[in-house]
């Protein structure tokens, strides 16, 4: 299946442990050898000068060479202390080479005592700088050697006394010691490099073992995932791998999908939907519970939730996706939504949804300076139908009423069932003029009256049912949600009192009467508890002035209103 890695982060990669080891130890033998070389040059130069001045006073001009070498060594030491290692190497090698060339030219050519130092300089450059530097130094030294031989043959070199054997001995000992040190430190350097390589090899072995274990875990998780897992290229969506659940949920096996794109398979109904998902992935690197719609192989649309992330597969950006079919869950959510906000019998909005829409409509009225209207509808004599023919017949009638109401209003208006045989129609975006808005509402109300007044064919029965409509406007002032409902309800009862099968608008005087009635009922209960009723007897007189009996009259002695006539409270 290839090597799977996450897409690279924006932070730069950190060096591996083996790289850190190599970086730590690469210069340690070289620095130690450089310090040893500087000290050796200074020591050899001091011994050389001491022998000349003490034992060979006639050879004092030969002290020029050790002086030049000492100056080069001291300058290189200063560069080493300031951390300029490469500059120190170049100065030391170049200075020594120039010094040897000058000394050889002045004191005997290739027979000079210091000529044996050239190989050490070439080796030093090759070890510490590069093989190119060693080749260049070797070529230049060869040219100088040839030039010195020709100059010596033609007598062009300056005349000089032959060097004493002791001077040869000092130089030879210096070369021996420096060669031995170079071998020692070179072996140490190679040993450290070998250890570093062994560490790198061990790190790679461990990394490969971890990688193989990770691939095995990934393959196991991929194949055993309860979701439909797939891998596709990021750019075009070409399918590379899929597990068995992909065929279970969407009808496609990996043999069918491998090599074709998701659009070729028809998984995405619209290319723009995949493009939107890919852009989200590119922006965030991954998606969790990304809901969209896929198409099953049988052509049916399925609601899915995708958890995906961008990975690197053998250097190619790909998408690892786990897709879950949530069609059943979405259907359950829709059912819960329907039960919460819709009447199960008529499929109309229930009271909860009506109040929510009424709140939005009242806010829109205030914002746009428009009016709305509520029509409260109650079926006349509906209880008689239920009692005589059963509730199932009543339910069928309510369903037909709902359909006729929907056919009598505009598409943007709301028809709701509050319960029983009570319906409410909410009209929005009416005129800002109250009279004109009332006229518009009345027009719709008359249309509803006509629609509901027609015969209902319910199974084998022909049923006639009339409605009573109460209407009120809203949006003219700020009020709570219950107020328009109450006004429309009161207006509906006024329509029933007017003979039914008619429409009435809310009358404020009716509200005052109802409030007075409610207050009278409350006071009447208190009167019974507080013995505020007074009994009066009115004599019954016959002809001739004879009292034949008495008529008992009940009066209410109200503490604030005084004597209340029976005509006001007997009806209660």
């Amino acid at each position: 299946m290839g090597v799977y890695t996450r897409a690279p982060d924006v932070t730069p990669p950190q060096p591996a442990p083996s790289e850190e080891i190599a970086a730590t130890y690469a210069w340690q033998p070289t620095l130690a050898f450089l310090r040893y070389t500087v000290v050796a040059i200074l020591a050899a130069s001091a011994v050389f000068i001491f022998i000349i001045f003490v034992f060979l006073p006639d050879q004092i001009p030969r002290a020029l060479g050790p002086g030049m070498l000492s100056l080069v060594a001291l300058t290189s030491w200063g560069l080493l202390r300031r951390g300029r290692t490469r500059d120190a190497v170049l100065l030391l090698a170049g200075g020594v080479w120039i010094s040897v060339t000058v000394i050889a030219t002045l004191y005997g050519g290739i027979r000079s005592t210091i000529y044996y130092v050239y190989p050490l300089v070439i080796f030093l450059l090759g070890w510490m700088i590069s093989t190119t530097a060693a080749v260049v130094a070797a070529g230049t030294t060869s040219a100088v050697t040839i030039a010195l031989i020709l100059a010596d043959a033609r007598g062009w070199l300056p005349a000089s006394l032959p060097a004493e054997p002791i001077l040869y001995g000092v130089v030879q000992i210096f070369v021996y010691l420096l060669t031995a040190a170079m071998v020692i430190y070179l072996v140490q350097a190679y040993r450290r490099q070998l250890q570093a390589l062994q560490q790198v090899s061990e790190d790679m072995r461990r990394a490969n073992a971890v990688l193989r274990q990770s691939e095995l875990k990934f393959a196991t998780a991929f194949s055993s995932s309860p979701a439909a897992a797939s891998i596709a290229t990021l750019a075009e969506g070409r399918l590379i791998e899929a597990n068995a659940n992909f065929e279970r949920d969407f009808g496609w096996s990996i043999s069918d999908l491998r090599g074709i794109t998701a659009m070729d398979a028809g998984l995405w109904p619209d290319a723009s939907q995949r493009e939107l998902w890919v852009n989200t992935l590119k922006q965030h690197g991954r998606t969790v519970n990304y809901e969209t719609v896929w198409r099953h192989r049988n052509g049916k649309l399925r609601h899915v939730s995708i958890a995906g992330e961008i990975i690197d597969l053998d250097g190619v950006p790909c998408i690892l996706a786990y897709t879950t079919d949530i069609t059943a869950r979405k259907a359950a959510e829709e059912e819960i939504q329907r039960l919460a906000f819709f009447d199960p019998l008529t499929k109309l909005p229930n009271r909860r949804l009506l109040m929510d829409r009424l709140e939005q409509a009242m806010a829109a009225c205030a914002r746009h300076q428009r009016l709305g209207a509520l029509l409260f509808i109650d079926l006349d004599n509906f209880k008689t139908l239920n009692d005589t023919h059963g509730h199932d017949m009543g339910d069928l009638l309510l369903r037909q009423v709902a359909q006729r109401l929907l056919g009598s209003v505009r598409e943007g208006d709301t028809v709701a069932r509050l319960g029983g045989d009570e319906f409410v129609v909410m009209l929005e975006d009416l005129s800002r003029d109250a009279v004109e808005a009332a006229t518009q509402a009345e027009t719709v109300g008359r249309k509803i009256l006509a629609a509901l007044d027609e015969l209902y064919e319910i199974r084998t029965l022909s049923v006639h049912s009339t409605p009573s409509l109460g209407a009120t406007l809203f949006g003219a002032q700020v009020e709570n949600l219950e107020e328009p409902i109450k006004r429309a309800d009161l207006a509906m009862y006024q329509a029933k009192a007017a003979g039914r099968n008619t429409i009435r608008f809310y009358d404020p005087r009716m509200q005052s009467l109802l409030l007075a009635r409610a207050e009278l009922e409350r006071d009447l209960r208190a009167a019974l508890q507080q013995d505020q009723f007074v009994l009066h007897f009115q004599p019954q007189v016959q002809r001739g002035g004879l009292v034949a009996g008495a008529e008992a009259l009940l009066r209410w002695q109200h503490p604030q209103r005084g004597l209340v006539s029976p005509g006001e409270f007997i009806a209660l």
Side-chain angles (χ1 to χ4, degrees), residues 5-7 234 281-282 285-286 308-312 317-319:
T5 60
R6 293 181 184 272
L234 175 64
L281 274 174
K282 290 179 179 178
R286 66 181 62 189
E309 67 176 309
I310 298 177
I311 63 172
D312 185 271
C318 296
I319 300 174

Side-chain angles (χ1 to χ4, degrees), residues 132-271:
T132 302
V135 171
V136 172
T140 306
T141 303
S142 300
V144 169
T145 300
I146 294 171
L148 288 175
I149 293 173
L150 292 175
D152 186 33
R154 294 180 179 272
W156 293 346
L157 297 177
S160 61
L161 296 174
E164 296 296 330
I166 190 172
L167 297 179
Y168 280 101
V170 171
V171 174
Q172 292 285 353
I173 293 172
F174 164 74
V175 171
Y176 297 155
L177 293 176
L178 201 59
T179 302
M182 185 176 292
V183 171
I184 291 172
Y185 284 108
L186 185 60
V187 170
Q188 289 181 353
Y190 276 114
R191 185 174 295 164
R192 292 182 183 275
Q193 293 294 333
L194 182 60
Q195 291 175 351
L197 289 174
Q198 290 174 345
Q199 182 65 41
V200 170
S201 177
E202 180 64 19
D203 291 345
M204 291 183 64
R205 186 190 66 79
R206 292 176 181 174
N208 287 332
V210 171
L211 181 60
R212 285 193 297 271
Q213 186 177 11
S214 176
E215 287 183 345
L216 179 60
K217 290 180 179 178
F218 176 84
T220 303
F222 186 84
S223 60
S224 61
S225 170
S230 63
I231 300 175
T233 59
L234 175 64
E236 56 183 359
R238 191 169 300 280
L239 274 299
I240 299 174
E241 196 67 59
N243 66 0
N245 292 337
F246 212 91
E247 182 175 8
R248 177 199 68 188
D249 293 343
F250 305 107
W252 293 92
S253 65
I254 182 55
S255 59
D256 298 326
L257 289 173
R258 188 177 284 121
I260 67 174
T261 67
M263 295 305 300
D264 293 338
L267 287 172
W268 293 89
D270 189 352

Side-chain angles (χ1 to χ4, degrees), residues 12 79 107 129-131 138 142 224 229 342 355 428 443 539 547 552 568:
L79 291 175
Y107 299 105
I129 301 300
S130 66
T131 55
S142 300
S224 61
F342 291 88
M355 300 305 286
E428 298 184 59
T443 300
V547 176
E568 295 185 36

Side-chain angles (χ1 to χ4, degrees), residues 248-250 290-296 298-306 323-336:
R248 177 199 68 188
D249 293 343
F250 305 107
Y290 184 92
E291 294 189 6
T292 185
V293 176
W294 273 15
R295 181 183 286 112
H296 193 279
N298 60 17
K300 294 182 179 180
L301 296 179
R302 312 293 295 177
H303 291 277
V304 297
S305 174
I306 308 176
T323 308
T324 304
D325 189 338
I326 60 171
T327 304
R329 192 192 81 188
K330 296 293 287 186
E333 291 176 354
E334 292 175 0
E335 179 65 15
I336 293 172

